[in-house]
């Protein structure tokens, strides 16, 4: 007899486009930092839908924001203003120090908007030859063709070329940026912590140097805060760790509405005219439903000081992970706030470790090929970190 799970899996394998590698289970529901599959097995979620569910699962603030806004006004598109969206734009400007916000539905869209902003800014200024962008090796900026052109990892780019107009240089290498810089460069784009690239934080000197080099050349500095934003690294934005660096534009998505799709490109007033009406847009961007949920997420992030919590519990998680370097399978630990990584030795297959951890009841992801990435809900407690790291220690302790 076919079980309900087997029926679901068979249907998934038959109908879903097979571009992911899901395991043979189906997730059912979640609460706080835990999720359950349809067989009733419980998991401690230490990846939060890839740094998205900052308030964990089924948070009452998100549930009631969704219910109330859906019962009021769900969608109108951009022919009209709507209240939650105006309020969200104002809130984000206050929290980020930027002056203008353009909304979309995902990270890759936010980066597309930022790339179009940079190119159109110089086009409008009559500098039509100024379109090249400098990005970094091992960066990740998304998978639409514009964002993919920025992404500096061959495994994502292969087979989709040509992806012209972007020069990739080693992350952290200011001299290489200087050599690649020129009057045709419109912008430099950088993550403050390379997330998909393996959780590699930039140094203050590197980001400050990028600001100086772009300023000297009249190019824009664009910061991708899609993984680092919304208190993930212990400050509201990753760039807030470097107060001397003021970007021209930045992108946010992932955690902004705690699991409801949203993306945002934020910029300074100087760039407010770069994308005039008709030059860019999105049917769903700025819709009242996602905006209201984002406001409810930001309410909780601010009221509970989840940035401070992320800094404290993240430092604790970092210490606990660093202690695991006593095992032969672990070669290092690094991170910022609640974005942490455990580097595994070359002899170990990180994907297999993720599977072993899942079977043991902890969910994490692989980043940069050899690192386990921890990006749990920001509401995680020290005790829950102990619970997760205890299981990780058992699993990696068995490896040689
Ligand atoms: C730094 C960064 N930029 C962009 C993206 C793309 O975001 P999305 O998957 O929402 O398109 C991601 C996603 O992992 C990311 O980590």
């Amino acid at each position: 007899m076919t079980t309900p799970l087997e029926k679901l899996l068979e249907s998934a394998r038959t109908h879903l486009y097979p571009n992911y590698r899901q395991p043979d289970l189906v997730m059912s529901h979640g609460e706080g930092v835990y999720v359950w599959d349809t067989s009733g097995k419980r998991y401690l979620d230490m990846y939060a839908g890839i740094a998205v569910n900052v308030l964990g699962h089924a948070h009452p603030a998100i549930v009631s924001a969704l219910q109330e806004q859906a019962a009021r006004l769900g969608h109108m598109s951009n022919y009209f203003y709507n209240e939650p969206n105006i309020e969200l734009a104002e809130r984000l400007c206050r929290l980020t120090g930027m002056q203008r916000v353009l909304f979309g539905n995902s990270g890759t869209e936010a980066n597309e908007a930022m790339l179009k902003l940079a190119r159109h800014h110089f086009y409008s200024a009559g500098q039509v030859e100024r379109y090249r962008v400098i990005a970094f090796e091992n960066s990740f900026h998304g998978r639409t063709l514009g964002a993919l052109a920025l992404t500096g990892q061959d495994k994502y780019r292969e087979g989709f070329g040509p992806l012209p107009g972007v020069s990739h240089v080693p992350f952290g290498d200011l001299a290489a940026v200087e050599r690649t810089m020129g009057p045709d460069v419109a912008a430099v784009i950088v993550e403050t912590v390379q997330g998909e690239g393996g959780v590699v934080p930039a140094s203050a000197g590197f980001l400050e140097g990028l600001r100086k080099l772009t300023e000297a050349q009249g190019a824009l500095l664009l910061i991708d805060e899609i993984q680092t934003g919304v208190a993930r690294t212990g400050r509201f934005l990753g760039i807030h760790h470097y107060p001397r660096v003021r970007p021209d534009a930045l992108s946010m998505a992932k955690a902004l509405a705690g699991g409801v799709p949203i993306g945002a490109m934020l910029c300074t007033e100087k760039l407010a005219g770069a994308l005039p009406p008709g030059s860019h847009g999105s049917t769903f961007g700025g819709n009242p439903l996602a905006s209201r949920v984002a406001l409810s997420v930001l309410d909780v992030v601010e009221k509970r000081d989840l940035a401070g919590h992320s800094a404290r519990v993240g430092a604790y998680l970092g210490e606990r992970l660093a202690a695991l370097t006593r095992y032969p399978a672990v070669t290092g630990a690094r991170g910022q706030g609640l974005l942490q990584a455990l580097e595994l030795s070359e002899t170990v297959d990180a994907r297999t470790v993720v599977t072993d951890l899942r079977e043991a009841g902890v969910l994490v992801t692989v980043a940069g090929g050899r690192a386990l990435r921890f990006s749990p809900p920001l509401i995680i407690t020290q005790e829950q970190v102990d619970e997760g790291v205890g299981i990780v220690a058992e699993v990696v302790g068995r490896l040689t």
Side-chain angles (χ1 to χ4, degrees):
M1 225 199 37
T2 333
T3 66
L5 175 62
E6 279 162 357
K7 264 177 101 174
L8 275 173
L9 292 174
E10 182 53 30
S11 181
R13 286 186 206 113
T14 309
H15 302 293
L16 285 173
Y17 197 87
N19 62 322
Y20 299 111
R21 277 184 287 248
Q22 293 98 336
D24 286 345
L25 57 90
V26 175
M27 285 300 177
S28 155
H29 61 284
E31 194 184 332
V33 295
Y34 296 101
V35 283
W36 285 260
D37 68 20
T38 52
S39 78
K41 182 175 165 69
R42 189 183 85 158
Y43 305 85
L44 173 62
D45 182 0
M46 294 190 93
Y47 89 110
I50 328 182
V52 167
N53 304 92
V54 269
L55 304 189
H57 298 274
H59 193 285
I62 294 184
V63 174
S64 58
L66 269 170
Q67 284 172 338
E68 281 163 27
Q69 194 58 45
R72 195 180 165 88
L73 184 70
H75 175 76
M76 289 292 289
S77 200
N78 297 297
Y79 288 89
F80 303 96
Y81 293 125
N82 70 74
E83 289 170 8
N85 193 236
I86 298 170
E87 205 184 316
L88 178 61
E90 188 180 326
R91 178 88 67 97
L92 284 175
C93 287
R94 169 169 71 71
L95 288 167
T96 63
M98 293 282 120
Q99 279 99 39
R100 298 278 173 175
V101 193
L102 175 62
F103 288 98
N105 312 287
S106 66
T108 198
E109 279 179 71
N111 281 338
E112 289 285 335
M114 202 154 68
L115 180 61
K116 288 179 77 174
L117 174 95
R119 289 194 172 160
H120 215 264
H121 169 65
F122 291 108
Y123 170 84
S124 305
Q127 299 184 45
V128 289
E129 298 295 320
R130 190 166 187 144
Y131 61 85
R132 191 160 60 91
V133 176
I134 297 178
F136 295 95
E137 290 170 10
N138 289 324
S139 61
F140 187 85
H141 298 293
R143 294 172 185 262
T144 49
L145 287 178
L148 189 61
L150 302 171
T151 292
Q153 300 192 53
D154 290 343
K155 67 176 178 194
Y156 298 116
R157 298 164 63 91
E158 201 182 324
F160 296 109
L163 298 165
V166 181
S167 309
H168 289 98
V169 301
F171 185 61
D173 188 343
L174 272 182
V177 178
E178 203 166 357
R179 280 197 301 277
T180 315
M181 190 53 95
D184 63 331
V185 170
V188 172
I189 181 165
V190 67
E191 297 157 87
T192 61
V193 180
Q194 283 194 332
E196 300 298 309
V199 187
V200 184
S203 70
F206 178 56
L207 294 171
E208 285 164 11
L210 289 182
R211 181 66 284 184
K212 284 196 190 112
L213 287 173
T214 45
E215 237 157 39
Q217 192 58 244
L220 305 178
L221 179 63
L222 314 176
I223 307 285
D224 181 335
E225 292 274 3
I226 286 160
Q227 190 153 153
T228 48
V230 196
R232 171 60 54 195
T233 69
R235 302 268 167 91
F236 185 70
L237 291 178
I239 200 67
H240 288 162
H241 291 276
Y242 316 98
R244 285 207 290 264
V245 184
R246 299 190 65 86
D248 297 294
L250 58 91
S251 51
M252 299 181 75
K254 284 193 185 283
L256 191 50
V260 170
I262 191 168
M265 187 280 291
L266 297 95
C267 67
T268 60
E269 192 61 31
K270 149 183 117 174
L271 296 169
L275 289 172
S279 62
H280 192 57
S282 155
T283 297
F284 291 119
N287 77 79
L289 199 62
S291 301
R292 174 56 66 207
V293 177
L295 283 166
S296 73
V297 169
L298 296 175
D299 282 346
V300 179
V301 166
E302 288 198 85
K303 279 191 195 119
R304 287 192 52 185
D305 183 25
L306 288 184
H309 183 79
S310 170
R312 285 186 298 278
V313 181
Y316 180 72
L317 171 61
E319 276 166 34
R320 294 281 331 252
L321 292 177
L324 302 185
T325 51
R326 67 181 182 272
Y327 296 118
V330 178
T331 55
R334 58 175 176 265
Q336 203 178 39
L338 278 169
L339 185 56
Q340 297 283 336
L342 191 69
E343 183 86 15
L344 300 176
S345 91
E346 276 169 15
T347 56
V348 172
D349 176 14
R351 280 185 191 285
T352 310
V353 180
V354 167
T355 305
D356 293 348
L357 281 171
R358 189 186 68 238
E359 279 163 9
V362 173
L363 303 180
V364 297
T365 49
V366 176
R370 270 182 38 209
L372 301 179
R373 174 180 38 185
F374 297 77
S375 56
L378 301 183
I379 55 165
I380 195 167
T381 62
Q382 204 160 302
E383 292 69 34
Q384 289 160 340
V385 165
D386 285 337
E387 178 191 337
V389 176
I391 294 171
V392 174
E394 271 173 37
V395 169
V396 298
R398 289 201 295 263
L399 304 167
T400 46

